[in-house]
Amino acid sequence: MRRALLLSGGMDSTCLAYWRKPDLAITIDYGHKAAEGEIRAASAVCQALGIEQRIIRADLSALGSGDLAGTPADPNAPASEWWPYRNQMLVTLAAMECIKHRIDILEIGALRTDGFHVDGRREFIEALGELLSMQEGGLKLSAPAGDYSADELVRVSGIPMEILAWSHSCHVSDYSCGQCRGCRKHYETMEAVGIEPY
């Protein structure tokens, strides 16, 4: 079974890259503000771990909203970084790449604590997985960290800090702003696993 990982370069997907050792990592620039920082981080992780990487560029910035797009949040947004249908879009773009590489399973970094976004909930991931698997190629979708919080995933993955340090969690910039929800989650997770803020 060949596995691919949707690797944003954030903490969660970086932990998955180390823990799961996929055959292929897929990083997507969809026109969001932190795209180059994420690509830089994901590429460094892939190089360090010897994972083949594909970078997809599809500028969908005109369809975004909130922190990731650099615009006011949509009225439907459950959080400031919400981008309409983002996870569905990312999985679809990654699936298009997977079929070219005869990938059987696409893994994503959804956590137990991501449920405040509908597209981070287990039932959404299962429904999207069913949709993928009924199409040509029979691709399966998996969220191997779905039972964990971010700090639990860091511990379970066994990732060394020199690899995790490459991760990029900022929602608004190519370099850490230190203020957005992504940066705050990064710092809180590092503190939870006993690493002092840097």
Side-chain angles (χ1 to χ4, degrees), residues 38-150:
E38 290 185 1
I39 290 169
R40 184 176 59 246
S43 298
V45 169
C46 287
Q47 184 174 1
L49 299 178
I51 298 170
E52 181 183 357
Q53 182 189 31
R54 290 289 180 270
I55 298 169
I56 298 171
R57 295 186 188 270
D59 186 356
L60 302 175
S61 55
L63 302 174
S65 71
D67 295 345
L68 292 165
T71 65
D74 184 277
N76 294 302
S80 62
E81 75 275 6
W82 186 75
W83 180 300
Y85 307 102
R86 183 177 76 105
N87 285 355
Q88 185 174 342
M89 173 264 295
L90 291 171
V91 168
T92 299
L93 292 173
M96 292 174 177
E97 186 68 25
C98 284
I99 202 163
K100 296 192 305 189
H101 300 278
R102 300 175 193 253
I103 296 294
D104 301 294
I105 301 171
L106 173 61
E107 296 182 340
I108 60 172
L111 302 175
R112 179 187 75 236
T113 48
D114 289 339
F116 65 93
H117 290 282
V118 172
D119 63 5
R121 295 180 189 158
R122 182 180 303 276
E123 57 268 27
F124 178 87
I125 295 164
E126 288 173 354
L128 187 54
E130 287 179 20
L131 183 62
L132 285 176
S133 66
M134 70 183 288
Q135 297 179 67
E136 293 79 4
L139 183 66
K140 293 180 174 55
L141 184 65
S142 174
D147 292 331
Y148 302 123
S149 64

Side-chain angles (χ1 to χ4, degrees), residues 8-15 41 111 150-151 154 159-161 163-171 175-198:
S8 70
M11 289 187 80
D12 304 334
S13 65
T14 296
C15 287
L111 302 175
D151 57 294
V154 171
I159 190 169
M161 285 304 127
I163 301 293
L164 188 57
W166 283 110
S167 64
H168 181 76
S169 302
C170 188
H171 292 154
Y175 295 92
S176 177
C177 74
Q179 303 297 319
C180 71
R181 283 173 45 87
C183 287
R184 290 199 310 270
K185 175 188 168 184
H186 184 97
Y187 299 144
E188 290 165 6
T189 301
M190 295 299 271
E191 286 184 27
V193 298
I195 304 296
E196 292 297 319
Y198 37 84

